[in-house]
Amino acid sequence: MTRPFPIMSDLTRLVPRPAPQDVNTGLSACKPRTLKRVFGLPRETFSQDCQPVTSAKLKNRIVTGKWFGARVTGLDVAVHSLARIEAKIREHHPELAPHMGNAGMLCCRYVRGSKSSISNHSWGTAIDLTFDGEVDKRGDGKCQAWLLLVYGFFHAEGWFWGTSFPTEDSMHFELADETVAKLSI
């Protein structure tokens, strides 16, 4: 007997992360200097805690939308892109829809463990995805199988997948450097 959809345990099983050369083709992780050049700093001071955007210039571009029924707040073009990605996922993998969520998008802070590198979440250009409320563990060199199903939709919209970071972060997607470089405030 064949199942019309994979069972959820099939989708949440851990698989080896794809080789970095096999994903993010033509795209690179967004550099903070690109974000600063295009949008300026989102605020004057940072810490490890989430803080709000204080830059009036960037505030005008921050919007709230939905990601599979949950609120997401971020840069307008990123939030609108997520809506298109969600539509593609619903069309091609409707079995994922009830399980999709996020662990946050806009969060002005330093990169976890850093005291100087500003996280791309600070500009609202990155999102951490969840499945049944769970995040994929960072730095284990693996990813949950369902992420392989959604990656292509993000890539087509110009998002970089964090599975290629030196410390793998498979739940993380961010607008690629090439995508941000084409934007203006």
Side-chain angles (χ1 to χ4, degrees), residues 26-41:
L27 300 175
S28 55
C30 194
K31 298 165 192 69
R33 72 174 174 261
T34 303
L35 289 160
K36 289 177 196 172
R37 179 180 52 77
V38 174
F39 301 114
L41 283 173

Side-chain angles (χ1 to χ4, degrees), residues 32 35-36 41-54 58 103-124 126-128 138 165 169 171-174:
L35 289 160
K36 289 177 196 172
L41 283 173
R43 59 177 297 111
E44 294 297 318
T45 61
F46 295 87
S47 70
Q48 286 295 321
D49 299 321
C50 281
Q51 298 174 24
V53 170
T54 58
L58 186 58
M105 190 169 183
L106 179 65
C107 176
C108 294
R109 63 170 171 78
Y110 288 126
V111 171
R112 299 278 180 228
S114 173
K115 293 182 181 176
S116 60
S117 295
I118 301 170
S119 170
N120 290 8
H121 287 280
S122 299
W123 286 270
I127 189 167
D128 292 332
R138 180 177 179 261
F165 290 154
D169 192 2
M171 71 170 172
H172 178 93
F173 287 85
E174 65 186 33

Side-chain angles (χ1 to χ4, degrees), residues 5 10 28 42 59 87 101 112 153 166 180:
F5 300 115
D10 289 345
S28 55
K59 264 186 178 179
R112 299 278 180 228
F153 303 118
V180 171

Side-chain angles (χ1 to χ4, degrees), residues 4-185:
F5 300 115
I7 59 172
M8 292 309 110
S9 63
D10 289 345
L11 294 172
T12 58
R13 77 183 183 285
L14 292 176
V15 297
R17 76 174 176 171
Q21 67 269 18
D22 294 338
V23 293
N24 295 316
T25 307
L27 300 175
S28 55
C30 194
K31 298 165 192 69
R33 72 174 174 261
T34 303
L35 289 160
K36 289 177 196 172
R37 179 180 52 77
V38 174
F39 301 114
L41 283 173
R43 59 177 297 111
E44 294 297 318
T45 61
F46 295 87
S47 70
Q48 286 295 321
D49 299 321
C50 281
Q51 298 174 24
V53 170
T54 58
S55 161
K57 189 164 89 166
L58 186 58
K59 264 186 178 179
N60 290 332
R61 298 284 303 267
I62 301 299
V63 299
T64 298
K66 295 284 186 183
W67 174 254
F68 290 94
R71 264 176 67 134
V72 288
T73 299
L75 184 69
D76 52 5
V77 295
V79 171
H80 299 315
S81 177
L82 287 172
R84 291 188 298 274
I85 293 166
E86 178 179 336
K88 290 289 186 183
I89 293 169
R90 286 182 181 280
E91 176 185 350
H92 295 279
H93 298 289
E95 73 279 14
L96 299 180
H99 307 279
M100 299 289 292
N102 76 88
M105 190 169 183
L106 179 65
C107 176
C108 294
R109 63 170 171 78
Y110 288 126
V111 171
R112 299 278 180 228
S114 173
K115 293 182 181 176
S116 60
S117 295
I118 301 170
S119 170
N120 290 8
H121 287 280
S122 299
W123 286 270
T125 59
I127 189 167
D128 292 332
L129 302 183
T130 63
F131 196 83
D132 285 339
E134 299 294 322
V135 296
D136 183 272
K137 185 179 176 190
R138 180 177 179 261
D140 65 0
K142 297 179 180 168
C143 69
Q144 293 177 338
W146 69 271
L147 287 160
L148 298 170
L149 297 176
V150 302
Y151 156 71
F153 303 118
F154 279 89
H155 186 264
E157 283 279 333
W159 291 69
F160 182 88
W161 186 17
T163 197
S164 293
F165 290 154
T167 300
E168 164 271 320
D169 192 2
S170 293
M171 71 170 172
H172 178 93
F173 287 85
E174 65 186 33
L175 289 181
D177 199 70
E178 296 79 5
T179 305
V180 171
K182 294 176 189 172
L183 302 176
S184 64
I185 193 103

